[in-house]
Amino acid sequence: MTDTPLVRVETRARVGWLTLNRPAQRNALNDALMDALGAALLAFDDDPAIGAIVITGNERAFAAGADIAAMADWNSHEASERNFISRNWETLHRVRKPVLAAVAGFALGGGCELALACDIIVAAESARFGLPEVTLAMIPGAGGTQRLPRAIGKAKAMDLCLSARLLNAQEADRCGLVSRVVPDAELLTQTEALARKIAGFSVPALRAIKASINRSWESPLAEGLLFERQQLYARFASEDAHEGMHAFLDKRAPIFQHR
């Protein structure tokens, strides 16, 4: 009997789907799962037939956090020697194509940080977001203390991290943590429709937009504007850009070749 995959991999049209698959552990994120997720992300990123990627869990949990049982007895030296987080959790940051998170149920701790690292979060009405590491005398360590303030502001981030409170989907939407909220029954269909729309655009243009927006998080305004302008000028070397502009003038749908 073959082992059940920790990440189910599926292709639908130009969208790659990755489903976290540790339901008994509410998709707690351990090394093996993060290795599998990273490998699948990089494979889709390299696949010219894929234009966008979706990460999802199940109706109970996107991911309930890092696997506490796997690290409860580590000491500081072991965490460092294992290169915890850095070794495999950050693979997602190397992906140049758009990555969407479809979140239902709990996205806590590392699960919330995984969603934050995605480009778009589509939340079901049942979604709950939080960084409750303080209850374990730990801290968020996969970018939570850095990405959360950028997403929702310092005051809200301090509240979540210091008090361990959870945000429901509607409050997460109001404070800018998620991109949109949809009924639970429509989470996958609406996420698929959005992902297919994105995947239908020119992949080089999508990469340039993603890189430019990410640069805005990490740079002063002047540097970000310079990067954006360079990306804009580079578009004029793209066959797809000329096709898109001429299709607009001709009042027809563009046919992108992704180059």
PDB file of all heavy atoms in Angstrom, residues 57-80:
ATOM      1  N   GLY A  57      -6.255  23.735   2.038  1.00  0.00           N
ATOM      2  CA  GLY A  57      -6.280  22.666   3.021  1.00  0.00           C
ATOM      3  C   GLY A  57      -7.595  21.924   2.938  1.00  0.00           C
ATOM      4  O   GLY A  57      -7.992  21.466   1.869  1.00  0.00           O
ATOM      5  N   ASN A  58      -8.311  21.837   4.046  1.00  0.00           N
ATOM      6  CA  ASN A  58      -9.634  21.227   4.039  1.00  0.00           C
ATOM      7  C   ASN A  58     -10.614  22.149   4.748  1.00  0.00           C
ATOM      8  O   ASN A  58     -10.259  23.267   5.126  1.00  0.00           O
ATOM      9  CB  ASN A  58      -9.608  19.822   4.658  1.00  0.00           C
ATOM     10  CG  ASN A  58      -9.083  19.822   6.078  1.00  0.00           C
ATOM     11  OD1 ASN A  58      -9.510  20.618   6.927  1.00  0.00           O
ATOM     12  ND2 ASN A  58      -8.134  18.932   6.370  1.00  0.00           N
ATOM     13  N   GLU A  59     -11.841  21.688   4.943  1.00  0.00           N
ATOM     14  CA  GLU A  59     -12.857  22.576   5.500  1.00  0.00           C
ATOM     15  C   GLU A  59     -12.615  22.885   6.976  1.00  0.00           C
ATOM     16  O   GLU A  59     -13.094  23.895   7.492  1.00  0.00           O
ATOM     17  CB  GLU A  59     -14.253  21.975   5.317  1.00  0.00           C
ATOM     18  CG  GLU A  59     -14.526  20.685   6.074  1.00  0.00           C
ATOM     19  CD  GLU A  59     -13.991  19.455   5.362  1.00  0.00           C
ATOM     20  OE1 GLU A  59     -13.400  19.595   4.261  1.00  0.00           O
ATOM     21  OE2 GLU A  59     -14.179  18.336   5.910  1.00  0.00           O
ATOM     22  N   ARG A  60     -11.856  22.052   7.679  1.00  0.00           N
ATOM     23  CA  ARG A  60     -11.581  22.291   9.099  1.00  0.00           C
ATOM     24  C   ARG A  60     -10.362  23.175   9.315  1.00  0.00           C
ATOM     25  O   ARG A  60     -10.312  23.939  10.277  1.00  0.00           O
ATOM     26  CB  ARG A  60     -11.366  20.962   9.833  1.00  0.00           C
ATOM     27  CG  ARG A  60     -12.594  20.079   9.931  1.00  0.00           C
ATOM     28  CD  ARG A  60     -12.273  18.799  10.681  1.00  0.00           C
ATOM     29  NE  ARG A  60     -11.793  19.069  12.032  1.00  0.00           N
ATOM     30  CZ  ARG A  60     -10.758  18.446  12.598  1.00  0.00           C
ATOM     31  NH1 ARG A  60     -10.090  17.526  11.911  1.00  0.00           N
ATOM     32  NH2 ARG A  60     -10.391  18.730  13.821  1.00  0.00           N
ATOM     33  N   ALA A  61      -9.384  23.040   8.440  1.00  0.00           N
ATOM     34  CA  ALA A  61      -8.144  23.788   8.652  1.00  0.00           C
ATOM     35  C   ALA A  61      -7.382  23.954   7.356  1.00  0.00           C
ATOM     36  O   ALA A  61      -7.190  22.978   6.610  1.00  0.00           O
ATOM     37  CB  ALA A  61      -7.261  23.088   9.680  1.00  0.00           C
ATOM     38  N   PHE A  62      -6.957  25.171   7.087  1.00  0.00           N
ATOM     39  CA  PHE A  62      -5.924  25.402   6.079  1.00  0.00           C
ATOM     40  C   PHE A  62      -4.636  24.774   6.606  1.00  0.00           C
ATOM     41  O   PHE A  62      -4.076  23.878   5.998  1.00  0.00           O
ATOM     42  CB  PHE A  62      -5.770  26.901   5.844  1.00  0.00           C
ATOM     43  CG  PHE A  62      -4.662  27.269   4.893  1.00  0.00           C
ATOM     44  CD1 PHE A  62      -4.787  27.039   3.541  1.00  0.00           C
ATOM     45  CD2 PHE A  62      -3.495  27.872   5.372  1.00  0.00           C
ATOM     46  CE1 PHE A  62      -3.766  27.381   2.661  1.00  0.00           C
ATOM     47  CE2 PHE A  62      -2.477  28.223   4.509  1.00  0.00           C
ATOM     48  CZ  PHE A  62      -2.612  27.983   3.145  1.00  0.00           C
ATOM     49  N   ALA A  63      -4.181  25.248   7.744  1.00  0.00           N
ATOM     50  CA  ALA A  63      -3.095  24.616   8.493  1.00  0.00           C
ATOM     51  C   ALA A  63      -3.130  25.190   9.899  1.00  0.00           C
ATOM     52  O   ALA A  63      -3.149  26.411  10.072  1.00  0.00           O
ATOM     53  CB  ALA A  63      -1.738  24.861   7.847  1.00  0.00           C
ATOM     54  N   ALA A  64      -3.140  24.306  10.892  1.00  0.00           N
ATOM     55  CA  ALA A  64      -3.304  24.741  12.279  1.00  0.00           C
ATOM     56  C   ALA A  64      -1.986  25.142  12.922  1.00  0.00           C
ATOM     57  O   ALA A  64      -1.942  25.375  14.127  1.00  0.00           O
ATOM     58  CB  ALA A  64      -3.966  23.642  13.093  1.00  0.00           C
ATOM     59  N   GLY A  65      -0.918  25.229  12.137  1.00  0.00           N
ATOM     60  CA  GLY A  65       0.356  25.686  12.665  1.00  0.00           C
ATOM     61  C   GLY A  65       1.478  24.706  12.404  1.00  0.00           C
ATOM     62  O   GLY A  65       1.302  23.702  11.705  1.00  0.00           O
ATOM     63  N   ALA A  66       2.646  25.022  12.941  1.00  0.00           N
ATOM     64  CA  ALA A  66       3.765  24.092  12.857  1.00  0.00           C
ATOM     65  C   ALA A  66       3.469  22.865  13.719  1.00  0.00           C
ATOM     66  O   ALA A  66       2.663  22.916  14.650  1.00  0.00           O
ATOM     67  CB  ALA A  66       5.045  24.775  13.322  1.00  0.00           C
ATOM     68  N   ASP A  67       4.132  21.770  13.413  1.00  0.00           N
ATOM     69  CA  ASP A  67       3.923  20.523  14.141  1.00  0.00           C
ATOM     70  C   ASP A  67       4.684  20.589  15.464  1.00  0.00           C
ATOM     71  O   ASP A  67       5.896  20.354  15.518  1.00  0.00           O
ATOM     72  CB  ASP A  67       4.405  19.346  13.298  1.00  0.00           C
ATOM     73  CG  ASP A  67       3.979  18.004  13.859  1.00  0.00           C
ATOM     74  OD1 ASP A  67       3.668  17.935  15.064  1.00  0.00           O
ATOM     75  OD2 ASP A  67       3.953  17.026  13.091  1.00  0.00           O
ATOM     76  N   ILE A  68       3.975  20.917  16.543  1.00  0.00           N
ATOM     77  CA  ILE A  68       4.616  21.108  17.850  1.00  0.00           C
ATOM     78  C   ILE A  68       5.266  19.812  18.332  1.00  0.00           C
ATOM     79  O   ILE A  68       6.351  19.823  18.921  1.00  0.00           O
ATOM     80  CB  ILE A  68       3.593  21.607  18.890  1.00  0.00           C
ATOM     81  CG1 ILE A  68       2.916  22.899  18.399  1.00  0.00           C
ATOM     82  CG2 ILE A  68       4.267  21.832  20.228  1.00  0.00           C
ATOM     83  CD1 ILE A  68       3.856  24.018  18.085  1.00  0.00           C
ATOM     84  N   ALA A  69       4.618  18.676  18.071  1.00  0.00           N
ATOM     85  CA  ALA A  69       5.168  17.407  18.544  1.00  0.00           C
ATOM     86  C   ALA A  69       6.550  17.130  17.967  1.00  0.00           C
ATOM     87  O   ALA A  69       7.381  16.480  18.613  1.00  0.00           O
ATOM     88  CB  ALA A  69       4.215  16.269  18.186  1.00  0.00           C
ATOM     89  N   ALA A  70       6.800  17.636  16.764  1.00  0.00           N
ATOM     90  CA  ALA A  70       8.075  17.366  16.111  1.00  0.00           C
ATOM     91  C   ALA A  70       9.226  18.161  16.709  1.00  0.00           C
ATOM     92  O   ALA A  70      10.384  17.784  16.557  1.00  0.00           O
ATOM     93  CB  ALA A  70       7.967  17.674  14.615  1.00  0.00           C
ATOM     94  N   MET A  71       8.938  19.263  17.413  1.00  0.00           N
ATOM     95  CA  MET A  71      10.025  20.143  17.861  1.00  0.00           C
ATOM     96  C   MET A  71       9.982  20.441  19.359  1.00  0.00           C
ATOM     97  O   MET A  71      10.791  21.230  19.853  1.00  0.00           O
ATOM     98  CB  MET A  71       9.984  21.457  17.084  1.00  0.00           C
ATOM     99  CG  MET A  71       8.692  22.241  17.227  1.00  0.00           C
ATOM    100  SD  MET A  71       8.732  23.739  16.206  1.00  0.00           S
ATOM    101  CE  MET A  71       7.123  24.435  16.575  1.00  0.00           C
ATOM    102  N   ALA A  72       9.094  19.805  20.082  1.00  0.00           N
ATOM    103  CA  ALA A  72       8.901  20.149  21.495  1.00  0.00           C
ATOM    104  C   ALA A  72      10.160  19.931  22.336  1.00  0.00           C
ATOM    105  O   ALA A  72      10.359  20.614  23.344  1.00  0.00           O
ATOM    106  CB  ALA A  72       7.742  19.350  22.078  1.00  0.00           C
ATOM    107  N   ASP A  73      11.023  18.994  21.930  1.00  0.00           N
ATOM    108  CA  ASP A  73      12.203  18.679  22.737  1.00  0.00           C
ATOM    109  C   ASP A  73      13.503  19.216  22.153  1.00  0.00           C
ATOM    110  O   ASP A  73      14.580  18.900  22.660  1.00  0.00           O
ATOM    111  CB  ASP A  73      12.316  17.154  22.931  1.00  0.00           C
ATOM    112  CG  ASP A  73      11.156  16.591  23.732  1.00  0.00           C
ATOM    113  OD1 ASP A  73      10.726  17.267  24.687  1.00  0.00           O
ATOM    114  OD2 ASP A  73      10.686  15.490  23.400  1.00  0.00           O
ATOM    115  N   TRP A  74      13.420  20.007  21.093  1.00  0.00           N
ATOM    116  CA  TRP A  74      14.647  20.583  20.535  1.00  0.00           C
ATOM    117  C   TRP A  74      15.262  21.571  21.517  1.00  0.00           C
ATOM    118  O   TRP A  74      14.561  22.237  22.293  1.00  0.00           O
ATOM    119  CB  TRP A  74      14.353  21.343  19.247  1.00  0.00           C
ATOM    120  CG  TRP A  74      13.935  20.507  18.079  1.00  0.00           C
ATOM    121  CD1 TRP A  74      13.856  19.157  18.003  1.00  0.00           C
ATOM    122  CD2 TRP A  74      13.499  21.007  16.813  1.00  0.00           C
ATOM    123  NE1 TRP A  74      13.411  18.775  16.766  1.00  0.00           N
ATOM    124  CE2 TRP A  74      13.182  19.885  16.015  1.00  0.00           C
ATOM    125  CE3 TRP A  74      13.344  22.286  16.283  1.00  0.00           C
ATOM    126  CZ2 TRP A  74      12.724  20.018  14.702  1.00  0.00           C
ATOM    127  CZ3 TRP A  74      12.897  22.423  14.981  1.00  0.00           C
ATOM    128  CH2 TRP A  74      12.588  21.299  14.193  1.00  0.00           C
ATOM    129  N   ASN A  75      16.581  21.710  21.430  1.00  0.00           N
ATOM    130  CA  ASN A  75      17.232  22.844  22.075  1.00  0.00           C
ATOM    131  C   ASN A  75      17.622  23.859  20.996  1.00  0.00           C
ATOM    132  O   ASN A  75      17.419  23.628  19.799  1.00  0.00           O
ATOM    133  CB  ASN A  75      18.440  22.404  22.912  1.00  0.00           C
ATOM    134  CG  ASN A  75      19.493  21.673  22.082  1.00  0.00           C
ATOM    135  OD1 ASN A  75      19.740  22.026  20.920  1.00  0.00           O
ATOM    136  ND2 ASN A  75      20.127  20.670  22.681  1.00  0.00           N
ATOM    137  N   SER A  76      18.177  24.973  21.426  1.00  0.00           N
ATOM    138  CA  SER A  76      18.492  26.051  20.486  1.00  0.00           C
ATOM    139  C   SER A  76      19.474  25.595  19.420  1.00  0.00           C
ATOM    140  O   SER A  76      19.350  25.935  18.242  1.00  0.00           O
ATOM    141  CB  SER A  76      19.062  27.244  21.251  1.00  0.00           C
ATOM    142  OG  SER A  76      19.427  28.289  20.371  1.00  0.00           O
ATOM    143  N   HIS A  77      20.465  24.790  19.835  1.00  0.00           N
ATOM    144  CA  HIS A  77      21.466  24.303  18.880  1.00  0.00           C
ATOM    145  C   HIS A  77      20.814  23.428  17.810  1.00  0.00           C
ATOM    146  O   HIS A  77      21.123  23.556  16.621  1.00  0.00           O
ATOM    147  CB  HIS A  77      22.543  23.518  19.624  1.00  0.00           C
ATOM    148  CG  HIS A  77      23.575  22.915  18.724  1.00  0.00           C
ATOM    149  ND1 HIS A  77      24.547  23.661  18.084  1.00  0.00           N
ATOM    150  CD2 HIS A  77      23.775  21.623  18.341  1.00  0.00           C
ATOM    151  CE1 HIS A  77      25.301  22.858  17.357  1.00  0.00           C
ATOM    152  NE2 HIS A  77      24.857  21.628  17.501  1.00  0.00           N
ATOM    153  N   GLU A  78      19.901  22.559  18.229  1.00  0.00           N
ATOM    154  CA  GLU A  78      19.235  21.680  17.265  1.00  0.00           C
ATOM    155  C   GLU A  78      18.408  22.478  16.261  1.00  0.00           C
ATOM    156  O   GLU A  78      18.420  22.188  15.061  1.00  0.00           O
ATOM    157  CB  GLU A  78      18.344  20.669  17.999  1.00  0.00           C
ATOM    158  CG  GLU A  78      19.115  19.574  18.710  1.00  0.00           C
ATOM    159  CD  GLU A  78      18.205  18.697  19.535  1.00  0.00           C
ATOM    160  OE1 GLU A  78      17.424  19.233  20.346  1.00  0.00           O
ATOM    161  OE2 GLU A  78      18.273  17.458  19.361  1.00  0.00           O
ATOM    162  N   ALA A  79      17.676  23.479  16.736  1.00  0.00           N
ATOM    163  CA  ALA A  79      16.880  24.311  15.822  1.00  0.00           C
ATOM    164  C   ALA A  79      17.769  24.990  14.797  1.00  0.00           C
ATOM    165  O   ALA A  79      17.448  25.048  13.606  1.00  0.00           O
ATOM    166  CB  ALA A  79      16.088  25.347  16.616  1.00  0.00           C
ATOM    167  N   SER A  80      18.923  25.489  15.261  1.00  0.00           N
ATOM    168  CA  SER A  80      19.845  26.152  14.349  1.00  0.00           C
ATOM    169  C   SER A  80      20.480  25.168  13.380  1.00  0.00           C
ATOM    170  O   SER A  80      20.590  25.435  12.178  1.00  0.00           O
ATOM    171  CB  SER A  80      20.929  26.872  15.164  1.00  0.00           C
ATOM    172  OG  SER A  80      21.890  27.454  14.324  1.00  0.00           O
TER     173      SER A  80
END
